[in-house]
Amino acid sequence: MLGFAYLLALLVSLTGMVVLDRRFGLFFWRAPPAAAVVLAVGVLFFLAWDLIGISAGIFYRGETGFMTGLQITAELPVEEVFFLTFLCYLFMNALQGARMLLERRRPS
């Protein structure tokens, strides 16, 4: 079970992003098709970034007992996809949340 701790933490965190998004109508609940495209493009961009870094010998997979050990390619653990999804989703929720707060503070 310890080998799935990091993946489980990422899934719990992603669930939290969905709950916040749903509660405040931030990203997917505001514009689902556009949100899906933005999230996919963001994740693919960072995966490409990772693959370039791996091929250049800059990025390496860290060794820890908290990860599953499953890899998509050499040096690219499966958890990275979930982390990048969480990272992009977190940023888009935070960006939209900040926009909404600023709009509320703007005088009419």
Side-chain angles (χ1 to χ4, degrees):
M1 181 63 182
L2 193 58
F4 285 87
Y6 181 49
L7 182 58
L8 181 62
L10 289 170
L11 292 173
V12 168
S13 299
L14 272 166
T15 301
M17 286 295 103
V18 172
V19 169
L20 286 171
D21 187 6
R22 172 71 176 111
R23 168 63 178 89
F24 297 105
L26 298 170
F27 188 46
F28 275 98
W29 270 265
R30 181 170 292 264
V37 170
V38 168
L39 188 64
V41 168
V43 171
L44 290 174
F45 171 81
F46 284 115
L47 278 174
W49 179 289
D50 281 354
L51 291 172
I52 291 167
I54 290 167
S55 67
I58 298 168
F59 298 159
Y60 297 97
R61 181 177 63 90
E63 295 292 329
T64 177
F66 296 108
M67 295 172 63
T68 62
L70 301 173
Q71 295 184 65
I72 297 170
T73 65
E75 305 299 329
L76 184 65
V78 71
E79 289 90 350
E80 184 72 3
V81 176
F82 291 95
F83 171 73
L84 294 174
T85 303
F86 169 74
L87 181 70
C88 292
Y89 200 177
L90 170 67
F91 179 76
M92 294 313 300
N93 274 351
L95 181 65
Q96 186 59 32
R99 284 182 181 163
M100 290 170 68
L101 285 173
L102 288 173
E103 286 175 6
R104 285 185 185 170
R105 295 185 74 184
R106 187 176 300 148
S108 300

